[in-house]
Amino acid sequence: MTMLQATPSAADALQGSRSAWSRLPLLGRYPATHVFLAAALYVFFAVFLIWPIVQVVATGFVSKTGGFTLNYVKLIFQSHVLVEGLRNAGLVAVLVTLLTLAISLPLAVLSVRFDFPGRGLLSGLLLVPLVLPPFVGALGMRLVLSRYGPLTQLVGAGDGLGIDWLGLHRLAGIVIIEALHLYPIMLLNLQAAMANLDPAMEQAAANIGASRWTIFHRITLPLIRPGLFAGCTLVMIWSFTELGTPLMFDYITITPVQVFKLITDVSDNPLPYALVVVTLIASTLLYLIGKVLLGRGFDAATTKASTAATSHRLHGWKAALVAAPFLVVVLLAVIPHIAVVLTSLTATGSWYKSLLPASLTAAHFRAALVDELAFPSIVNSIKYASLATALAMLVGLGTAILIVRSRLPGRGLIDALSMLPLAVPGLVMAFGYLAISIWFKRKLGESMPVWLDVQRNPLLLLVIAYAARRLPYVVRSAVAGLQQTPQDLELAAANLGASRFTVLRRITVPLILANLIAGGLLAFAFAMLEVSDSLILAQRTEHFPITKAIWEISQRLEDGLYLASALGVWAMVLLTLTILSANAFMGRKLGAIFRV
């Protein structure tokens, strides 16, 4: 009887709690699914983006007694070697940015203003550097720039001691290799900015007698400033913290390599953390400067075109003259790729004091598929990248839905957090995940789960790191798809009684499937060849991904360089296929993925 009397009371209490919950201001004004999705995303970003950064910063500023200290940062600026590393990193970033701008700005103007035979093909070839990270490109250039290598033979200095290109011009080589890899990011931003210009403004300036230079300087440049500084910011931060190229060129007096070299003492020495903190602060300042100069968002800063922009069709010698810069840049950009391919085909020791290899072989490709380190690394990378892509697509789809389809007050913050990996250097994020693993080890000791210990099994942290780093590509791709897809079909399905999950599964996802696949393919491709996370988090040979295996194999004597190049070519083929597939799905919209 007591239970019978208690039941209505419990039911009334439950009903009252539901009514009170539904009357909450946030849930009363916005769909509960959007609110819960936003909460889940905030948790994801807090744990997997903010917490790693906080761990690095905390360790760099916390003394061994637990108090706040600046002693570790002071030690950095008291060390001549570390200060020189920071100065060199800043110099590389500035020079790479200027060089990419010098390459990309003329090409962007020519590609938007003029139409000529083969423009589509040449524009596609300009994206070739995205196929191969500079880390692998530097591998091929090591042999080309060796003392008795092809470049020495080309300039006719093969006798005597030859020319020590890497010893004399190591910094210049790093700048050139990185610029030839990163200019497509600058180019895509500039092309998109120029395509959105209102030609009426330039025509009005020309009608009142302004010269071409005055129009470009006073009208065009200010209007493309958002794309200009978006590209500059991305390139500068990327090149400032690039680890692979200087590491492959054995350039140790630069901050990213110094951090990598100090990693062996990371559990006991807070100095590497402090150095990463200084790197993060410098990168953040670069990003903030870009955002301040950018002023407004990309779309807000460009005017709606009152007339359609047209390109001038060229033929004959004029078309050849305009196409010439495209050909020159393409030829320069593929040099590292050609060098890697030739090195992989060269018989061991047969490319010496000659312009071309004396003997070619395909044995290195076969060896890369049976090598005890190389082949497992391919399997590991496919596993890590696949899991990371699935996670990135899941989080990216939820983020895009909130950004485009919801009216939640915090959706702008969610958008900014999803783009955070573009602003935070990969080196910092990788060190952050390593710091999290060490934090758990200190807290849990021997009872620490294997999947949290990066030394025993880095699978979980590598997958999360890969997914977080490549999340912006999926988000931007999904956002582009949702923005171009009318909401009418989703509303119609909802009016017929379909649940939100059914609408998502049967309507939304099929409509933007091409965009999701394109973003997922790019996330998979770049995760396969991720450098910073792979080099820092994978610490045992059985867990090495491709990039860590390439680095380790390249250090072997005799055939190490050739076998590593063959492994790099296998990775390059895979990345080429995925980027071509993404381009087939997205076409010209591919550039939107590389914007901030």
Side-chain angles (χ1 to χ4, degrees), residues 103-360:
I103 294 171
S104 303
L105 185 56
L107 294 178
V109 174
L110 294 175
S111 63
V112 172
R113 298 294 170 81
F114 300 103
D115 186 15
F116 52 89
R119 186 183 69 166
L121 176 62
L122 290 175
S123 296
L125 290 175
L126 286 174
L127 302 181
V128 164
L130 293 177
V131 172
L132 191 67
F135 169 75
V136 181
L139 182 67
M141 294 303 294
R142 275 174 51 180
L143 198 150
V144 174
L145 298 176
S146 60
R147 185 180 290 272
Y148 295 103
L151 186 58
T152 299
Q153 307 302 319
L154 188 63
V155 299
D159 298 330
L161 297 177
I163 300 177
D164 186 11
W165 297 102
L166 290 178
L168 297 173
H169 310 290
R170 201 182 304 261
L171 184 65
I174 293 172
V175 170
I176 294 172
I177 292 294
E178 291 187 13
L180 289 176
H181 172 71
L182 295 176
Y183 81 81
I185 296 176
M186 181 83 74
L187 178 63
L188 288 170
N189 277 280
L190 292 177
Q191 284 177 330
M194 295 197 68
N196 285 333
L197 288 182
D198 188 348
M201 302 184 70
E202 296 176 322
Q203 292 168 6
N207 290 337
I208 60 175
S211 64
R212 290 183 179 273
W213 168 249
T214 301
I215 294 173
F216 181 76
H217 176 64
R218 301 291 297 275
I219 305 295
T220 306
L221 275 182
L223 289 177
I224 67 171
R225 188 172 58 184
L228 180 66
F229 283 104
C232 287
T233 301
L234 287 175
V235 170
M236 187 171 290
I237 292 176
W238 195 322
S239 56
F240 180 72
T241 58
E242 167 64 23
L243 170 62
T245 307
L247 183 65
M248 195 60 73
F249 275 4
D250 199 25
Y251 189 64
I252 60 175
T253 54
I254 191 168
T255 299
V257 177
Q258 290 172 335
V259 171
F260 180 73
K261 295 295 185 182
L262 289 169
I263 198 173
T264 53
D265 301 325
V266 72
S267 59
D268 300 317
N269 183 10
L271 188 61
Y273 289 97
L275 188 55
V276 173
V277 169
V278 173
T279 303
L280 174 61
I281 293 173
S283 300
T284 304
L285 289 175
L286 292 174
Y287 181 75
L288 291 177
I289 291 172
K291 293 296 287 184
V292 169
L293 293 174
L294 179 60
R296 293 171 291 175
F298 181 85
D299 292 327
T302 53
T303 59
K304 288 288 185 180
S306 58
T307 60
T310 58
S311 56
H312 299 287
R313 181 69 179 178
L314 300 177
H315 299 279
W317 67 268
K318 291 183 179 180
L321 187 63
V322 172
F326 290 81
L327 289 171
V328 171
V329 173
V330 167
L331 290 175
L332 290 174
V334 299
I335 288 177
H337 303 71
I338 295 173
V340 172
V341 173
L342 283 178
T343 303
S344 66
L345 291 171
T346 300
T348 302
S350 65
W351 202 354
Y352 180 73
K353 288 189 175 183
S354 60
L355 188 60
L356 293 173
S359 178
L360 299 178

Side-chain angles (χ1 to χ4, degrees), residues 489-504 506-507:
L489 293 176
E490 297 170 308
L491 295 175
N495 289 335
L496 292 174
S499 65
R500 290 187 178 273
F501 178 75
T502 301
V503 173
L504 177 67
R506 301 289 298 273
I507 305 296

Side-chain angles (χ1 to χ4, degrees), residues 20-66:
W21 180 251
S22 64
R23 288 196 300 270
L24 284 175
L26 194 59
L27 288 178
R29 296 175 57 189
Y30 306 104
T33 52
H34 287 174
V35 177
F36 294 144
L37 180 58
L41 289 175
Y42 279 127
V43 171
F44 177 86
F45 293 136
V47 174
F48 300 125
L49 288 180
I50 305 301
W51 191 26
I53 300 173
V54 171
Q55 278 296 114
V56 172
V57 174
T59 309
F61 287 119
V62 175
S63 65
K64 292 185 177 180
T65 59

